[in-house]
Amino acid sequence: MQFDSLSDFIQMNGHGVYVWAVYFLALGVLLLNVLRPKMMMKRFYKEQYIAYTLQAAVSNEKLKDGSGDYLK
Amino acid sequence: MLDVKNLYCERNQGLLFEALSFSLKPGKVIQIKGPNGAGKTTLLRILCGLFGEFEGEVLWDLEKHPIYLGHKAGVKDLLTVTENLNWLCELQQNYPSSDQIKKALIEVGLLAYKDVMAGQLSEGQKKRVSLARLYLINSPVWLLDEPFSAIDVEGLTKLEERMRGYVEGGGSIILTSHQMVNIDQDVTELLLKGANSC
Amino acid sequence: MWNWLHKLGSPKSFFAISERLLPWFGTLALLFLSVGIVWGLLFAPPDYQQGDTARIMFVHVPASILAQSSYMMMASAGVVFLVWRIKLAEIALQCAAPIGASLTFLALVTGSIWGKPMWGTWWVWDARLTSTLVLFFLFMGIIALRSAMENRASAGRATSLLAVVGLVNLPIIKFSVDWWNTLHQSSSFSLTQKPAMPIEMWFPLLLMVIGFYFFFFSVWMMRIRTEVLIRERRADWVKRLVLTMKNKRDMKHAV
Amino acid sequence: MLIKSIQRELLLSMRRPADLLNPLVFFVLVVSLFPLGISPSDEVLKEIAPGVIWVAALLSTLLSMEVMFRNDFEDGSLEQMSISPQPFLVLVGGKIVGQWLVSGLPLVLMSPVLAVMLALSEEGIKAMFISLLLGTPILSLLGSIGAGLTIGLKKGGALIAILILPLYIPVLILGTHMIIAAEQGVSYSGDVLWLAAILALSISLAPFATTESVRIALSDG
């Protein structure tokens, strides 16, 4: 372990500010990249579900039996 | 001459056409009909190679390129009528003499505008300049997009007469139009159901 | 091998394949990154010159490596699309652009933060930083073109063409920036030559780079999956998927 | 056919001089802004002259790029060109050459006048002339790719700059360095060779990319 105490670890003899800024920024960018697709996927499911149920209601029952066999 | 095998094309939301197949023999006329937005123009643009996003096959075997008349006349405002026609014919590797151009302009009734800048012509007149090509360039197939729109009655009869002569001479035409085409040869119709139907 | 590639080409089978691969890539990325960070931050020795600021290297170097290789991968997807017209390649390209841009941005900012303690200025016209900046502009160009063209299909062709043109120009730009740097920067300090790193620092760096690669692939796959679903939303398999997902979700209310 | 296309392009530009003059006026304007903005003293101007001239040249070629395909696209003649039996590559090539003759060449011919304004030495002006003579065709060739990509788009202006400026960077660096080297009396033949090499590369590759980009825009339009 390079640092003897926690506070020393945070200070990193004066350079801590920069190092932590970099790591938090990196964390932020990585998280953003992970959450963005997840959110898009969720939005897609929500929108499409409404669209399909609407369409299913219009062209009724063609879909209902279809979704059954997918789980096999 | 041309056969199209299960063409599939989708545009933003709607599906334009699916598994569309037809063929065109010399001396035949096909009229593409359908509501607005049914993809009539897109189909025509696919046939002449302008539109690339489709699946399926379009097989041409021609020795000369077809003539395409789109919504936009393809006439430059800054060139005179004769310069425009010269350029358009050179594009199709025809090099008409000046009196051939005069004769064509008489057919479309634009002889008086021979040396006028195309910019001063009305949209209808510009379209007739583009139609003058039908008298100048001999090509086995014509692809006409709404040829009858913005054409006055007198121009209409002349155009139909020219089409009659052309089809008799073994040429074939694919056109999109809402009006009836009254030429004596039989006109096979191709109905596009339209984007929102399926 | 050939039919595997072809199978991967069709969006539906890609979706199935990525269904299995994604958890693997995700956990591997997490594993490598966490080990790399802990090792780099806690156990790696401080650099004799720069002291602890060298720890920034564990983020900056992988980010700029990823920035360049993501552009390469994106442009090669562009080449594949232009040559073989595989739809998936175009989707892959459009999904890689934002990730690549964010990584390039990360590399830029971490590079300038690294410069502050060492040379006292936030921005230093160093050869590698400048070429990363140009790379960022290239990414911005791709994203700007993609958003400017509404019609998705031709947007794909246009962005792939731009990516390929960028790829051809990249070496020339890199050469001219490096050459320009040697002209104006007489002093030899710069980020370019990596200081000869002791093994304790070099190994965590390697872990971080591998972790970044796994991260990039997993996020890339996630974006492609969403885009594939959007593109194929009229296909039956997507309808079934949406309905079954909805039923499952209603049952256990978890995302 | 190439000559015919170039003739047509020149004829069209002659009939509409505004598009011919605007980039040139812009070039002069931008160059004369710098002495006003920074300082009229000779040493400072000499220092910034190469960069100013080259950046102004970049921007004015970009300006003339946007109008390059737009008129032909709007009145439909671009469509006719793309489906004609004549090789579309030759027609597009003709347009690019025509565009360079109309906006690139006058810029090169006029640059010595501006160089005097920016207190460049005799040697420097000669180097600048050569660098622009080799450089502006590259700018036109690369710029035409951007022009092709943004034909159908409404907000094309700024977009072309974002797409194409990064590709201009090598030309900018080599061009400015040539003038600086000439100012210091150092031989700049290396840069001339490099610029010529990039010119050869762009001549052989760019027209293909432009043709493809125009086809994409047509298919979108």
Side-chain angles (χ1 to χ4, degrees):
Chain A
M1 249 294 267
Q2 289 300 326
F3 304 97
D4 27 41
S5 77
L6 182 64
S7 68
D8 180 16
F9 174 57
I10 293 172
Q11 243 83 34
M12 284 193 194
N13 44 53
H15 298 306
V17 175
Y18 304 114
V19 176
W20 289 116
V22 163
Y23 276 82
F24 278 118
L25 182 75
L27 196 65
V29 168
L30 297 187
L31 277 181
L32 185 76
N33 273 322
V34 173
L35 295 182
R36 185 86 179 85
K38 271 199 173 356
M39 193 187 61
M40 276 154 65
M41 185 73 98
K42 212 192 302 171
R43 193 147 44 90
F44 170 77
Y45 275 122
K46 231 188 260 104
E47 274 162 18
Q48 284 313 317
Y49 185 70
I50 298 158
Y52 289 146
T53 37
L54 203 69
Q55 217 173 16
V58 164
S59 71
N60 53 41
E61 105 279 332
K62 172 170 163 298
L63 285 173
K64 283 198 184 55
D65 48 29
S67 59
D69 54 39
Y70 177 76
L71 289 174
K72 262 207 288 307
Chain B
M1 175 170 293
L2 156 76
D3 47 43
V4 174
K5 295 203 192 70
N6 52 52
L7 209 59
Y8 166 93
C9 178
E10 176 193 308
R11 196 161 49 181
N12 346 63
Q13 267 63 37
L15 177 75
L16 289 187
F17 32 79
E18 204 176 1
L20 171 69
S21 304
F22 63 93
S23 66
L24 177 70
K25 302 277 177 304
K28 284 280 171 293
V29 177
I30 294 181
Q31 178 166 8
I32 304 173
K33 288 198 156 183
N36 290 347
K40 303 194 291 292
T41 309
T42 315
L43 177 58
L44 218 53
R45 283 166 72 89
I46 289 176
L47 293 182
C48 69
L50 274 175
F51 188 74
E53 276 81 36
F54 63 92
E55 272 125 40
E57 274 167 13
V58 175
L59 303 174
W60 282 103
D61 66 30
L62 301 168
E63 58 303 345
K64 269 182 145 6
H65 275 238
I67 298 180
Y68 170 68
L69 176 78
H71 288 303
K72 297 181 236 169
V75 164
K76 290 296 290 178
D77 291 352
L78 286 165
L79 295 175
T80 67
V81 172
T82 22
E83 279 161 355
N84 266 311
L85 277 180
N86 273 326
W87 170 253
L88 287 171
C89 294
E90 267 152 33
L91 279 185
Q92 305 282 352
Q93 288 164 341
N94 291 60
Y95 301 92
S97 65
S98 68
D99 61 10
Q100 273 169 322
I101 289 185
K102 280 206 195 70
K103 210 158 62 57
L105 285 177
I106 295 168
E107 292 291 333
V108 287
L110 285 175
L111 183 59
Y113 299 89
K114 193 162 76 67
D115 297 322
V116 164
M117 283 290 180
Q120 280 123 25
L121 300 181
S122 73
E123 274 311 307
Q125 285 164 328
K126 280 190 200 150
K127 189 158 200 149
R128 281 173 29 211
V129 170
S130 194
L131 282 172
R133 284 183 302 160
L134 303 183
Y135 299 89
L136 286 166
I137 301 166
N138 44 46
S139 146
V141 177
W142 289 354
L143 302 172
L144 308 175
D145 198 346
E146 306 282 352
F148 305 119
S149 72
I151 301 285
D152 53 31
V153 174
E154 190 252 343
L156 203 60
T157 44
K158 271 233 161 65
L159 181 58
E160 273 162 358
E161 186 199 306
R162 171 70 182 125
M163 288 164 91
R164 228 171 269 122
Y166 176 70
V167 173
E168 256 148 43
S172 44
I173 300 176
I174 301 180
L175 68 128
T176 64
S177 176
H178 294 295
Q179 299 158 334
M180 262 311 299
V181 181
N182 51 35
I183 57 175
D184 32 38
Q185 290 88 349
D186 53 0
V187 175
T188 47
E189 282 188 5
L190 181 69
L191 191 59
L192 291 183
K193 293 194 292 304
N196 34 37
S197 60
C198 53
Chain C
M1 183 343 226
W2 200 230
N3 94 5
W4 178 79
L5 189 69
H6 192 70
K7 216 157 74 61
L8 188 67
S10 89
K12 184 173 184 310
S13 54
F14 171 83
F15 197 81
I17 294 171
S18 61
E19 188 95 23
R20 287 199 309 278
L21 279 180
L22 196 52
W24 280 99
F25 274 79
T27 36
L28 277 174
L30 217 59
L31 181 73
F32 274 98
L33 282 180
S34 38
V35 169
I37 287 181
V38 165
W39 188 321
L41 266 182
L42 289 173
F43 298 101
D47 183 71
Y48 55 91
Q49 263 174 344
Q50 305 162 6
D52 287 308
T53 50
R55 297 187 198 290
I56 295 179
M57 165 182 74
F58 294 122
V59 170
H60 173 68
V61 171
S64 48
I65 290 173
L66 249 296
Q68 276 148 36
S69 57
S70 59
Y71 193 88
M72 298 294 171
M73 283 186 262
M74 184 175 75
S76 36
V79 170
V80 163
F81 176 68
L82 284 181
V83 172
W84 291 292
R85 279 282 187 277
I86 299 176
K87 208 147 72 103
L88 195 71
E90 177 239 315
I91 299 174
L93 179 133
Q94 300 206 3
C95 296
I99 310 172
S102 63
L103 288 178
T104 325
F105 173 75
L106 181 66
L108 274 176
V109 174
T110 48
S112 83
I113 293 178
W114 196 358
K116 184 73 176 87
M118 290 228 287
W119 301 296
T121 59
W122 281 111
W123 179 254
V124 79
W125 284 100
D126 156 72
R128 235 153 48 85
L129 269 186
T130 328
S131 48
T132 318
L133 183 67
V134 172
L135 195 64
F136 185 66
F137 292 146
L138 287 175
F139 271 118
M140 279 302 120
I142 303 256
I143 294 175
L145 183 63
R146 183 171 71 111
S147 55
M149 295 181 93
E150 312 80 24
N151 161 342
R152 252 187 214 297
S154 57
R157 278 171 68 186
T159 28
S160 344
L161 181 70
L162 185 63
V164 170
V165 167
L167 184 67
V168 170
N169 277 291
L170 203 55
I172 305 173
I173 294 176
K174 241 180 175 3
F175 156 74
S176 56
V177 167
D178 292 346
W179 180 66
W180 164 82
N181 190 323
T182 54
L183 284 179
H184 294 281
Q185 225 74 40
S186 52
S187 70
S188 71
F189 79 86
S190 81
L191 293 171
T192 35
Q193 328 96 337
K194 286 193 186 53
M197 273 183 285
I199 186 71
E200 304 84 12
M201 289 181 76
W202 184 80
F203 197 71
L205 183 61
L206 181 66
L207 289 180
M208 285 296 279
V209 170
I210 298 171
F212 261 73
Y213 266 103
F214 277 123
F215 167 79
F216 177 78
F217 283 120
S218 40
V219 172
W220 194 11
M221 240 187 281
M222 281 162 70
R223 274 183 181 258
I224 296 177
R225 285 161 58 84
T226 324
E227 188 67 23
V228 159
L229 286 182
I230 292 173
R231 292 279 179 92
E232 303 286 326
R233 62 184 176 287
R234 246 187 322 289
D236 277 347
W237 65 278
V238 176
K239 282 183 185 145
R240 273 195 223 107
L241 192 70
V242 170
L243 290 168
T244 45
M245 280 294 282
K246 199 63 183 170
N247 310 348
K248 254 187 279 168
R249 191 170 305 134
D250 295 346
M251 275 181 288
K252 57 180 173 29
H253 298 297
V255 168
Chain D
M1 199 49 205
L2 181 66
I3 298 107
K4 276 222 165 25
S5 164
I6 298 172
Q7 276 163 355
R8 172 178 175 269
E9 190 65 28
L10 292 180
L11 186 66
L12 281 173
S13 322
M14 289 313 155
R15 297 242 170 102
R16 187 181 354 84
D19 285 354
L20 173 75
L21 287 180
N22 286 355
L24 297 182
V25 170
F26 176 82
F27 181 62
V28 174
L29 192 63
V30 166
V31 170
S32 43
L33 282 183
F34 280 86
L36 301 169
I38 302 176
S39 94
S41 74
D42 275 2
E43 311 76 29
V44 172
L45 279 186
K46 201 191 279 292
E47 187 66 34
I48 60 166
V52 161
I53 287 178
W54 262 95
V55 167
L58 290 190
L59 298 180
S60 67
T61 29
L62 270 187
L63 199 67
S64 58
M65 274 300 131
E66 202 197 337
V67 83
M68 189 173 158
F69 289 114
R70 189 149 295 218
N71 312 0
D72 283 351
F73 175 74
E74 259 139 28
D75 55 33
S77 45
L78 205 56
E79 274 172 358
Q80 296 300 338
M81 279 204 253
S82 87
I83 52 174
S84 80
Q86 304 289 4
F88 193 35
L89 181 71
V90 169
L91 295 170
V92 168
K95 272 193 85 62
I96 298 173
V97 171
Q99 193 273 341
W100 181 70
L101 289 175
V102 160
S103 72
L105 201 52
L107 193 132
V108 175
L109 301 178
M110 224 177 48
S111 56
V113 170
L114 297 171
V116 168
M117 249 167 69
L118 295 175
L120 263 183
S121 68
E122 182 56 41
E123 190 55 40
I125 291 180
K126 199 156 69 67
M128 179 201 63
F129 191 81
I130 298 170
S131 72
L132 280 175
L133 200 59
L134 282 174
T136 41
I138 304 175
L139 302 183
S140 296
L141 283 159
L142 291 179
S144 65
I145 303 174
L149 285 172
T150 58
I151 293 177
L153 308 180
K154 292 168 285 309
K155 38 197 177 325
L159 193 62
I160 288 189
I162 300 172
L163 298 186
I164 294 301
L165 277 179
L167 307 181
Y168 279 173
I169 288 174
V171 182
L172 176 69
I173 292 174
L174 287 170
T176 37
H177 176 256
M178 260 177 78
I179 305 172
I180 297 166
E183 288 284 302
Q184 291 152 0
V186 174
S187 110
Y188 48 82
S189 54
D191 310 318
V192 174
L193 293 178
W194 266 110
L195 265 181
I198 296 180
L199 177 58
L201 183 75
S202 332
I203 287 181
S204 51
L205 291 183
F208 292 98
T210 314
T211 318
E212 175 63 16
S213 69
V214 170
R215 282 233 163 77
I216 295 170
L218 281 175
S219 136
D220 192 37

